Each structure stands twice: as structure tokens, then as C-alpha cells.
Amino acid sequence: MSNALADALARLLKAETDASSSTFTPAQRQALDDLARRVNALAVRPKGRGAVYQILNRQALESLLRQLRPMEAGDLDGGLPQRATNIATHRNSKSRNAGHEIHYVLMKSVGEGVHWRGSERTLDLSPVTAAGAAGALPIETNDDWHSDSPLWLVENQAVFDQTDWFPGPTSATLAYYGGELSSRLLAWLASRRRAPQIVLFADYDGVGLHNYMRLLDQCGKCSFWLMPGWRELLTRFGNQTIWQDNHQRFVAAAGQLAKSGAPDEVLELCRRMSREALALEQEAVWHAAAGRSSDS
């Protein structure tokens, strides 16, 4: 309510005469009506079919506005982060346009010669990874970062930390997204060709398949990676509790994937999961050797 009141007071104090209530939003009208009942600095007068707000004590209203909004945006350095501006103008970093302009994606390489290039800048990911570290790529939707190597999106940290599961021999970037693909990452991937191939390696559950559905919808061409021997892995190591916890999301994602023409092998995974009522976490990849014979 304080944001609505601050906006309403700012508009009201700019008016040279009584201000018609019709020029304010419903939230602003409610805020001014509440204020008029509490203080003697403002009055609400009927006029025609509506009402007008009459300033009785301008100094008191200006003082109240300064309490709600210590500074005006026009008095601030234009180079300040948005959240610093929000604190100055609304006493709350999250009050207006609170999202950060830059989003960081945590990346590692598998193999040699993995680079990300943008205008007059390059991230050489392979030596960073060889040093036992990871790189953080600062992304914005309209930037031009791109790589000549495939991009794999991995859901869980274990497969990001230890990469000996990777099928190879192709060099690639692993990007860790931690459970849910953010809308910022999806928008960035959709804005231009970022890599020659985008592969999602997720848990085989409602969340993972829902993320794949969103990725397909945003980016079109992308793959959902199936572990070698996934059928046997699902039967042997699948978890019924995880399946039940994400069942509604699974049903929605599986239905949409079938409608959108997802690859047959992904639809087969959906059918098997439904038939066996099991989900499979991606760390089962380290047990994949036991299942290879069933798919050979």
C-alpha cells in the first residue's frame, strides 16, 4: 500500500487544483481515501458523479511523501544499480523492477578447446576447468555470447562436479541450473543460436520433463539425454516417492510433449515411467554400465 500511496501523493502534489479521483488507480484511490480518514491534511469532496481530492495541508503531505520516498529518481546517478535506486526512492530494494539485468550461468568444460565468445571478449573455459574451477558467464538476453561446442544443461550438482559420466568424445560445456530452468536462461537461449547443440540432462521425473517441455517450447531444437540402459536403471533404481511427488507435473509435461511431437524415445520414457510409477534421479548415470546390455 505504501507504494500506491507514494505514487498517489506524488501525482496529487503536482496538481495545481483539486485532483479528480478518476485520474488515480483503484489502489491509489484506496490509499488516499484511507489517508483522508486518518489525517486532516487531505479531504475527499463529492463532485458530480465522482469525487475530488483537496489538499488542506500541503506541507504535511510533502513531509509524508519524503518519508515514503526519500529521494526522487531524477536526483540520482543514472548509473546506480536498480535496487540501489529502489532503496532511495521507495526504501525497499525489491519495490520496482527488482530483477537484475545480468544473470550468471555456472559452467565447466569437458574436453579441450571449449570457448565462449562475445563482442570483443572471450571466456576460455577449458583452462579454467583444468585448474579445478568453474566459469561464470554473465548473460543478458540481447548479448552475443556463443560457442562452437555443444551446451549441456545439467540439473544436479553431482554430475556437474564429477564429469567422468560424460559420453564423449565430443568437447562440450556443462551448465548447472539447479532444479528449475530460469526464465532468464530460457530467454537467453531462445534469443539467438548459442551453441551447435543444446542437450538437457535432467532427472527423469515431472520436474525434469517439465523443464524439457519449456526448453522445446522456447528453443525448438534441443535434446533430452537418455542414459545408456535407462530402462533397466529405471526398474532397478527408480523411486516411487519422487514419482508421486511430481506426478501432476509429469502428467502435464508428458501430455504436452506428445502433442508437440517430442522424440519417440522421450515418449517411450514417459510411458515406462507411467507404467512402472517410478522416477529416476540423474546420478544413476554412474550405474549405467549395468544397463548397457539391455539397450545394445
Side-chain angles (χ1 to χ4, degrees), residues 87-123:
I87 290 174
T89 58
H90 293 83
R91 295 180 179 267
N92 185 342
S93 68
K94 302 177 181 62
S95 63
R96 297 287 177 88
N97 301 321
H100 300 286
E101 292 183 4
I102 297 176
H103 178 76
Y104 290 91
V105 180
L106 196 62
M107 294 179 166
K108 292 174 69 172
S109 70
V110 286
E112 298 298 324
V114 177
H115 308 274
W116 282 84
R117 296 181 175 87
S119 298
E120 302 179 356
R121 51 187 178 169
T122 298
L123 173 61

Coordinates of all heavy atoms in Angstrom, one line a residue, residues 87-123:
I87 N 15.9 1.5 -3.2 CA 16.1 1.9 -1.8 C 15.9 3.4 -1.6 O 15.3 3.9 -0.7 CB 17.5 1.4 -1.3 CG1 17.5 -0.1 -1.2 CG2 17.8 2.0 0.1 CD1 18.8 -0.7 -0.8
A88 N 16.5 4.2 -2.5 CA 16.5 5.6 -2.4 C 15.1 6.2 -2.6 O 14.7 7.1 -2.0 CB 17.5 6.3 -3.4
T89 N 14.4 5.6 -3.5 CA 13.1 6.1 -3.9 C 11.9 5.5 -3.2 O 10.8 6.0 -3.1 CB 12.8 6.0 -5.4 OG1 12.9 4.6 -5.8 CG2 13.9 6.8 -6.2
H90 N 12.1 4.2 -2.7 CA 11.0 3.5 -2.1 C 11.3 2.8 -0.7 O 10.5 2.1 -0.2 CB 10.4 2.5 -3.0 CG 9.7 3.1 -4.2 ND1 10.4 3.5 -5.3 CD2 8.4 3.4 -4.5 CE1 9.5 4.0 -6.2 NE2 8.3 3.9 -5.7
R91 N 12.6 3.0 -0.3 CA 13.0 2.3 1.0 C 13.0 0.8 0.9 O 13.0 0.1 1.9 CB 12.2 2.8 2.2 CG 12.3 4.2 2.5 CD 11.4 4.5 3.7 NE 11.5 5.9 4.1 CZ 12.3 6.4 5.1 NH1 13.1 5.6 5.7 NH2 12.3 7.7 5.4
N92 N 13.0 0.3 -0.3 CA 12.9 -1.2 -0.5 C 13.5 -1.6 -1.8 O 13.1 -1.1 -2.9 CB 11.4 -1.6 -0.5 CG 11.2 -3.1 -0.6 OD1 12.1 -3.8 -0.9 ND2 10.0 -3.5 -0.2
S93 N 14.6 -2.4 -1.7 CA 15.3 -2.7 -2.9 C 14.5 -3.5 -4.0 O 14.7 -3.5 -5.2 CB 16.5 -3.6 -2.6 OG 16.2 -4.9 -2.1
K94 N 13.4 -4.2 -3.5 CA 12.6 -5.0 -4.3 C 11.3 -4.3 -4.8 O 10.4 -5.0 -5.3 CB 12.3 -6.3 -3.6 CG 13.5 -7.1 -3.2 CD 13.1 -8.4 -2.4 CE 14.3 -9.2 -2.0 NZ 15.2 -8.4 -1.0
S95 N 11.2 -3.1 -4.6 CA 9.9 -2.4 -4.8 C 9.5 -2.3 -6.3 O 8.4 -2.4 -6.7 CB 9.8 -1.0 -4.1 OG 10.8 -0.2 -4.7
R96 N 10.5 -1.9 -7.1 CA 10.2 -1.7 -8.5 C 11.3 -2.3 -9.4 O 12.5 -2.1 -9.1 CB 10.2 -0.2 -8.8 CG 9.1 0.6 -8.1 CD 7.7 0.3 -8.7 NE 6.6 0.9 -8.0 CZ 6.2 2.2 -8.2 NH1 6.8 2.9 -9.2 NH2 5.2 2.7 -7.5
N97 N 10.9 -3.0 -10.4 CA 11.9 -3.6 -11.4 C 13.1 -4.2 -10.7 O 14.2 -3.8 -10.9 CB 12.4 -2.5 -12.4 CG 11.2 -1.9 -13.2 OD1 10.3 -2.6 -13.6 ND2 11.2 -0.6 -13.4
A98 N 12.8 -5.1 -9.8 CA 13.8 -5.6 -8.9 C 14.8 -6.6 -9.5 O 15.8 -6.9 -8.9 CB 13.2 -6.2 -7.6
G99 N 14.4 -7.1 -10.7 CA 15.3 -8.1 -11.3 C 16.6 -7.5 -11.7 O 16.8 -6.4 -12.1
H100 N 17.7 -8.4 -11.6 CA 19.0 -7.9 -12.0 C 19.1 -8.0 -13.5 O 18.6 -8.9 -14.2 CB 20.0 -8.8 -11.4 CG 20.0 -8.8 -9.9 ND1 20.5 -7.7 -9.2 CD2 19.6 -9.7 -9.0 CE1 20.4 -8.0 -7.9 NE2 19.8 -9.2 -7.7
E101 N 19.8 -7.1 -14.1 CA 19.9 -7.1 -15.6 C 20.8 -8.2 -16.1 O 20.6 -8.8 -17.1 CB 20.6 -5.8 -16.1 CG 19.6 -4.5 -15.9 CD 20.2 -3.3 -16.4 OE1 21.3 -3.4 -17.0 OE2 19.6 -2.2 -16.3
I102 N 21.8 -8.6 -15.3 CA 22.7 -9.7 -15.6 C 22.4 -10.9 -14.8 O 22.2 -10.8 -13.6 CB 24.2 -9.2 -15.4 CG1 24.5 -8.0 -16.3 CG2 25.1 -10.4 -15.7 CD1 25.9 -7.5 -16.1
H103 N 22.4 -12.1 -15.5 CA 22.2 -13.4 -14.8 C 23.5 -14.2 -15.1 O 24.0 -14.2 -16.2 CB 21.0 -14.0 -15.5 CG 20.7 -15.4 -14.9 ND1 20.1 -15.6 -13.7 CD2 20.9 -16.6 -15.4 CE1 20.0 -16.9 -13.5 NE2 20.5 -17.5 -14.5
Y104 N 24.0 -14.9 -14.1 CA 25.2 -15.6 -14.2 C 24.9 -17.1 -14.4 O 24.1 -17.7 -13.6 CB 26.1 -15.4 -13.0 CG 26.7 -14.0 -12.9 CD1 26.0 -13.0 -12.3 CD2 27.9 -13.7 -13.6 CE1 26.5 -11.7 -12.2 CE2 28.4 -12.4 -13.5 CZ 27.7 -11.4 -12.9 OH 28.2 -10.2 -12.8
V105 N 25.5 -17.7 -15.3 CA 25.4 -19.2 -15.6 C 26.7 -19.8 -15.2 O 27.8 -19.5 -15.7 CB 25.1 -19.5 -17.0 CG1 24.9 -21.0 -17.2 CG2 23.8 -18.8 -17.4
L106 N 26.7 -20.8 -14.3 CA 27.9 -21.5 -13.9 C 28.2 -22.6 -14.9 O 27.4 -23.5 -15.2 CB 27.6 -22.1 -12.5 CG 28.8 -22.6 -11.7 CD1 29.8 -21.4 -11.4 CD2 28.4 -23.3 -10.4
M107 N 29.5 -22.6 -15.4 CA 29.8 -23.5 -16.5 C 31.2 -24.2 -16.2 O 32.0 -23.7 -15.5 CB 30.0 -22.7 -17.8 CG 28.7 -22.1 -18.3 SD 29.0 -21.2 -19.9 CE 27.3 -21.0 -20.5
K108 N 31.3 -25.4 -16.8 CA 32.6 -26.2 -16.8 C 32.7 -26.7 -18.2 O 31.7 -26.9 -18.9 CB 32.6 -27.3 -15.8 CG 32.6 -26.8 -14.4 CD 32.5 -28.0 -13.4 CE 33.7 -28.9 -13.4 NZ 33.7 -29.9 -12.3
S109 N 33.9 -27.1 -18.6 CA 34.1 -27.8 -19.9 C 34.4 -29.2 -19.6 O 34.9 -29.6 -18.6 CB 35.3 -27.1 -20.6 OG 36.5 -27.4 -20.0
V110 N 34.1 -30.1 -20.6 CA 34.6 -31.4 -20.7 C 35.3 -31.5 -22.1 O 34.8 -31.1 -23.1 CB 33.5 -32.5 -20.7 CG1 32.9 -32.6 -19.3 CG2 32.3 -32.1 -21.6
G111 N 36.6 -31.9 -22.0 CA 37.4 -31.9 -23.2 C 38.1 -30.5 -23.4 O 38.0 -29.6 -22.5
E112 N 38.9 -30.4 -24.4 CA 39.7 -29.3 -24.7 C 39.1 -28.3 -25.7 O 38.2 -28.7 -26.4 CB 41.1 -29.7 -25.2 CG 41.9 -30.6 -24.2 CD 42.2 -29.9 -22.9 OE1 42.4 -28.6 -23.0 OE2 42.1 -30.5 -21.8
G113 N 39.6 -27.1 -25.7 CA 39.2 -26.1 -26.7 C 37.8 -25.6 -26.6 O 37.2 -25.3 -27.6
V114 N 37.3 -25.5 -25.4 CA 35.9 -25.0 -25.2 C 36.0 -23.5 -25.0 O 36.6 -23.1 -23.9 CB 35.2 -25.7 -24.1 CG1 33.8 -25.1 -23.9 CG2 35.1 -27.2 -24.4
H115 N 35.4 -22.7 -25.8 CA 35.4 -21.3 -25.7 C 34.0 -20.7 -25.8 O 33.2 -21.3 -26.5 CB 36.3 -20.6 -26.8 CG 37.7 -21.2 -27.0 ND1 38.7 -20.7 -26.2 CD2 38.1 -22.1 -27.8 CE1 39.8 -21.4 -26.6 NE2 39.5 -22.3 -27.5
W116 N 33.8 -19.6 -25.1 CA 32.6 -18.8 -25.3 C 33.1 -17.4 -25.8 O 34.0 -16.8 -25.2 CB 31.8 -18.7 -24.0 CG 31.0 -19.9 -23.8 CD1 31.4 -21.1 -23.2 CD2 29.7 -20.2 -24.2 NE1 30.5 -22.0 -23.2 CE2 29.3 -21.5 -23.8 CE3 28.7 -19.5 -24.9 CZ2 28.1 -22.1 -24.1 CZ3 27.4 -20.0 -25.1 CH2 27.2 -21.3 -24.7
R117 N 32.5 -17.0 -26.9 CA 32.9 -15.7 -27.5 C 31.8 -14.7 -27.6 O 30.6 -15.1 -27.9 CB 33.5 -15.9 -28.9 CG 34.8 -16.8 -28.9 CD 35.3 -17.0 -30.3 NE 36.6 -17.7 -30.3 CZ 36.7 -19.0 -30.3 NH1 35.6 -19.8 -30.3 NH2 37.9 -19.6 -30.3
G118 N 32.1 -13.5 -27.3 CA 31.1 -12.4 -27.5 C 31.9 -11.2 -28.1 O 33.0 -11.3 -28.6
S119 N 31.2 -10.1 -28.2 CA 31.8 -8.9 -28.8 C 33.1 -8.5 -28.0 O 33.0 -8.1 -26.8 CB 30.8 -7.7 -28.8 OG 29.7 -8.1 -29.6
E120 N 34.2 -8.6 -28.6 CA 35.5 -8.2 -28.0 C 35.8 -8.9 -26.7 O 36.5 -8.3 -25.8 CB 35.5 -6.7 -27.9 CG 35.3 -5.9 -29.1 CD 35.3 -4.4 -28.9 OE1 35.4 -4.0 -27.8 OE2 35.2 -3.7 -29.9
R121 N 35.3 -10.1 -26.5 CA 35.6 -10.8 -25.2 C 35.5 -12.3 -25.5 O 34.7 -12.7 -26.3 CB 34.6 -10.4 -24.1 CG 33.2 -10.4 -24.5 CD 32.3 -9.9 -23.5 NE 30.9 -9.9 -23.9 CZ 29.8 -9.7 -23.1 NH1 30.0 -9.4 -21.9 NH2 28.6 -9.7 -23.6
T122 N 36.3 -13.0 -24.7 CA 36.3 -14.5 -24.8 C 36.4 -15.1 -23.4 O 37.2 -14.6 -22.6 CB 37.4 -14.9 -25.7 OG1 37.3 -14.4 -27.0 CG2 37.5 -16.5 -25.8
L123 N 35.6 -16.2 -23.2 CA 35.8 -17.0 -22.0 C 36.4 -18.3 -22.4 O 35.7 -19.1 -23.1 CB 34.5 -17.2 -21.3 CG 34.5 -18.2 -20.1 CD1 35.5 -17.7 -19.0 CD2 33.1 -18.4 -19.5

